[in-house]
Amino acid sequence: MLEPLATSVINTLLSGRPLTGHPSASQSMRMAVKTVGSTLPPDFFTPRPRRVKGKERAAPGVDFPTCVDVTALNAANAPPPCTGVKRTSSIRSNASRMRARRLSIRKPMHAPIRDPLPSFKPFARPVGIVQQRYASSLPQPIGASGSSTPVRHTDRWYQTIRDYSAGRTSDLEEAWRAFEDLCRSDGCASLSLLDLFHFGSAIVTAVGNHDLDSISPEWLSQMGERLAEVVERLSPRMTKESSTLDKLRMYCLSVASAAMKDSFDVANERLDKLLAAPVEPTHYKHVAQMLAVHFTALYIHHSALSAFEILLQHWSGINSYLPEWLPVELLERARGDWRRLRERVADIVYREEQPTMTFVNWKPRMQQHQWQQVGEYLVDVFSEKSEGGVAFDIMETIKMQKLGVRVQLQLNVVKALVRDDLFEQANVLFASLAEHMGTDRAFDTYLEVGLYLHAHLGDVERAQEYYERLIQREQVSTRHVALLLHAHAVNGNANGATELFYHFFPPASSNSQVEPPNIYHYTSVVLAFARRADLSGMNTWLANMVKAGIAPDAHVYAIILKCLAQRGDLEHAAEVLAQMRASGVPPSRHAYTIMFTLLADRKDALAAEELYKQAIREQVVPDRVMIKTLMHVYVRASDWQGVVRTFDYLKSSSHLGIRLNIGVYNTLLQAYVSIGAPFRVVANLFQRIEETGLRPNAHTFALLIQSACDSGLMWIAKDLFAEMMRLRKDWQLHARTNVYIHTIMMAGWLRAGNTIRAKQVYDRMRKRGIQPSAATYAVIVKEYTRDRSGAGLQIAQEFIRTLVTADPEAQTWMKTSRSRRDALSTLYAPLLSAYARRERPEVVEELVAQMEQVGGSHSFRTDIQILDAYRRVGNSNAVRELWTRMYEDAVRRTQLNILITDSVKDSPPDLRSLGTTLCAPLSIYIDAMSAAGFHAEVAQTWAQLQKAKFVFDAHNWNHLAVALIRAGEPERAFRVVENIIIPVRQHLIRSVTGKRDRTPTSPILERPVDQVLEEDKESGDDMDPADKGPDGGVLTIPFQRPYTSERRARVAIAATRKGGDDLEVGKDNDFAHGLHMLYQKASTWHDWQPHTIVFAMLAEVLRHLSRGRLVQPVRPADAERDHAPTVQELRQRRAQASQILQRIYETCPQAVALLEKTTTRKGTARMKRAAGQIRRDSTVNY
């Protein structure tokens, strides 16, 4: 479809500075001796008594102690630091030390009053030396005593350390080995005080630069131990006469070392003193390095909440190191360390799960202006992280306290909301800023943000208005032109985008002075054609872009994939993925997210899991949107276990920077509604979501209203609907959400039989200018089809014809659907189903042909309706032909999955990826063919599907039991119930548990699903294993078949009656607990049990056999009739019937017992209707 494109990658290598020449051995020794001598105080040899513990008075104007007590950093039994002492190892193992007891730092963070923690030794160490030292006790230089260690090794080690400290090399392990060797050689005497400071700072910088997700507590503690070694070497060289800078650096290294080793009682105490002392702005970089490591250690050893609370507790001191910009005199000197500190703190704060709630809880403990400063900082952080919802909530919290937020920050929040697709809040916030605008530079920013907002909304008129005002102020650029093009593209106006492109960028031959278009301008035009699903126009502009020398990037490919996803074109989407890899543009997580959206429409959870694994293999780092979309795939496929696991993974991944927003909770809420959860459970979950500090949006309210309608609580739904309409001015409801809510209410009233209320909802919708959607009209059509006289069907058919033949510009009801094909399929579905139930296949075919003429197409949904119509009229040949085509389509679909997942080509079909898509047509096929007497074909089809690893659901097994009875195989029918249906039901009942892994390491399951029942077998359960079918094959328990709206309503009412308190959200805010319990129970309530017709037929079989009659197979209509049996044959049949009956009682005791219990309990109208149907259809022959 698209030609492969090559992209070039330029690698720039930066060479380090040339190294200076090595000093000679004699020079090195003289320098070492001089360095040792210079570090000894003049009264070094004078014995002095130990001073009492207390804090030293710092040098005038400075609060830093002269020296740091390294014994507070290391074990109590560690020897005191002494320059020149040979050590066996510079790194002492954790096992050989008394590690400082880890204390909880949560309480000191929550309140400024410190806990009564065990006191550590003070920071200041007496300058006087306790021990008496004599000249004879000083160690001799190793080189001078004829050591075997060559002096050139010392020079090499020295140079390695200096190179690492200066950033010329990056191998910390090599530098540390050189440091150890140098310490063993001369006690690090070769290193000057400045060398040691530089080396310690290099270790701190290495930790601060390390990727946050790749730091382990063990590695961080090891780095702390190493830094403590450096501090030990520095400590004896520090005196009262040391410079202020040296004291500051020494203090920063000691704080960093304590934090890295998880000694936060020591680190926090020293941090208090450090932040209280005045620091020259030129020395900020050293404090910034220390703070970056301190916050890193808090996060690694404890949590993001701990780091956030330390930030709040010490804000008055830390604030000066987190400015938005630096003074010019500090820009070059401290830019890197300042930027790293801001990025590291922002990254950690971003990982806090409930920042808004924590921020609010700290208000009483902070001064008002400091609390406001923290709020503005948080707004800035979350805006930069494109977490517009969180930034907006924090900003609103500040405003509620009658405090202001800078206009520039609010404009940044608007852009973040747009990037987060939260256009409702963005509109409201932007409109509120108009009155605060002047005529300065801030007004230009306001106009740019207005253009940005309305361009992404597709509001061409407003975008043009802001663009023209920027022209008037002479502030327009090519970036603004791209936004104006984007407005046309979002609106799907390809012609307007094309004309505008040529207006700004005419052909080069006509005006060579015009600045050429860049990739953003071409991308906007491509997007315009993609929104119209116009592959031809999209390819034309891709070719124009390549001709202009611009290679498509990942964003352009994502637009193409999104266009194909809207068309449901998986084949071409697979080709685009392959082309991306061939062009050197690996698929991004955005591309994979789009593919998940496509698979969600196909309800293909297995293919989505394989695609996720491939993304991980390609080192794609999933974000929240990608994982949430995978969760949506599970919802559409009715894989509730996958939904629960994915939600648990998201909730436990805050340390990876993945936070839960209202979109994730809405997806979970949608799962609850789709499975038919009771309204009280959904309402409780809604309330718990509000308690987390998140703001429910229109989609959240819509799901709550739908749950109330499904449970038959229409008056509650009415009140919720009224409340939502009251809030709609604040929300600025999107058109799709608005029509969706009205459609829910209208369908709910119709289901309740209240047509007057439904008509009122529809009239109110039209009065408010809300255009009905395809789903809205489908609800109306469905109500017409309920008319038993047949007149309603004619009205519905004429109504649909009027809609689809209207002028294309008047067909606005299609705009809220993904595509024209989806809109038509939704509109025709109720009418197709109604004619199928009335056994009118010719009308069904006519309607399908009509749908194809106006732009629709065949789908599994329409094929099922036609198949059911053929079954009802007994047209087995048509059923056979259509089933064959549907099976071939299913095989092609699995082959497409092989393409998108890059699996082994030419592998046999694996129909497990279809989920339950083929289950309904299979049941129809089995019923039609067995009723027609084609039992061999049923057996062949079943074997074919088993070979293709198809997952049979409970309905398929029930239909198989019926087919076996019709085939004259009652024993095997009983064995299906005995060995399949009953054991699976018992397994599901036994496996109901509230326990689960709430911190999974992956959102997908790694073990095959067909191992589920093997666990019962290996556990020594006395029950017959259910992993074998009647003929021995592996049985896989499939996902639950998705419910229709009527079925979901019935399930919700049943769940309300049967569900207990174990469905509620617990005190530990386990939001997925109810879904976890419900999906385990729902299968036993509704699916995995013999159907009423199966019970009735099995009861009829036992009656026949007990009367000495064999069950004869149903024969095809054109088969020859059997001759009348002789008396001898009748006797033989009676004997065979007795034997079969005896074997059934012996081999299928559970099935017989359940049958006797059920027929006794269900001797009701339902069982009588089933028995009457059996007699009418002659289902059991004898």
Side-chain angles (χ1 to χ4, degrees), residues 1109-1122:
R1109 300 173 180 176
L1110 287 178
V1111 177
Q1112 300 296 326
V1114 176
R1115 295 179 177 274
D1118 56 352
E1120 295 183 0
R1121 287 183 174 275
D1122 288 341

Side-chain angles (χ1 to χ4, degrees), residues 346-393:
D347 193 11
I348 293 174
V349 170
Y350 170 72
R351 296 167 186 242
E352 160 55 16
E353 187 173 350
Q354 297 179 347
T356 306
M357 187 173 296
T358 305
F359 172 64
V360 171
N361 292 338
W362 268 80
K363 185 181 184 305
R365 314 176 201 181
M366 301 179 68
Q367 297 182 10
Q368 188 176 46
H369 73 281
Q370 292 180 354
W371 187 77
Q372 181 182 9
Q373 289 176 354
V374 173
E376 291 192 333
Y377 169 75
L378 294 176
V379 169
D380 186 35
V381 166
F382 287 102
S383 297
E384 290 182 359
K385 296 288 187 180
S386 295
E387 285 288 347
V390 180
F392 182 81
D393 289 342

Side-chain angles (χ1 to χ4, degrees), residues 211 213 347 350-351 384-387 419 553-555 557-559 561-562 577 580-581 585-598 608 611-630 633 649-650 653 656-659:
D211 180 63
D213 295 326
D347 193 11
Y350 170 72
R351 296 167 186 242
E384 290 182 359
K385 296 288 187 180
S386 295
E387 285 288 347
R419 290 193 297 270
D553 60 1
H555 181 62
Y557 279 115
I559 291 175
L561 284 173
K562 194 168 185 178
L577 284 180
M580 290 179 70
R581 299 184 180 98
V585 183
S588 63
R589 60 191 177 195
H590 186 46
Y592 279 108
T593 301
I594 295 171
M595 295 302 298
F596 286 152
T597 304
L598 179 56
L611 196 63
Y612 181 87
K613 293 177 184 177
Q614 181 176 341
I616 299 302
R617 288 194 299 268
E618 294 178 356
Q619 298 182 347
V620 174
V621 180
D623 62 355
R624 180 189 61 222
V625 179
M626 179 177 171
I627 300 176
K628 189 197 80 168
T629 310
L630 175 63
V633 177
Y649 177 77
L650 282 168
S653 297
L656 300 177
I658 300 176
R659 68 173 53 257

Side-chain angles (χ1 to χ4, degrees), residues 199-240:
F199 186 52
S201 297
I203 295 176
V204 172
T205 302
V207 174
N209 290 342
H210 214 72
D211 180 63
L212 199 58
D213 295 326
S214 61
I215 299 178
S216 66
E218 295 75 19
W219 180 84
L220 188 60
S221 297
Q222 183 188 44
M223 293 300 104
E225 298 285 352
R226 291 179 175 181
L227 187 59
E229 293 287 337
V230 177
V231 172
E232 280 192 24
R233 300 296 174 181
L234 280 167
S235 184
R237 305 190 188 190
M238 300 296 296
T239 65
K240 286 186 176 181

Side-chain angles (χ1 to χ4, degrees), residues 44 107 158 211 224 318 442 445 447 473 491 802 866 952 1069 1091 1169 1173:
F44 181 81
K107 189 169 183 179
Y158 172 76
D211 180 63
I318 297 176
T445 305
L447 295 178
R473 296 178 63 87
N491 202 33
T802 303
I866 299 174
F952 303 100
N1069 279 345
H1091 293 174
R1169 285 196 302 270
Q1173 180 183 347

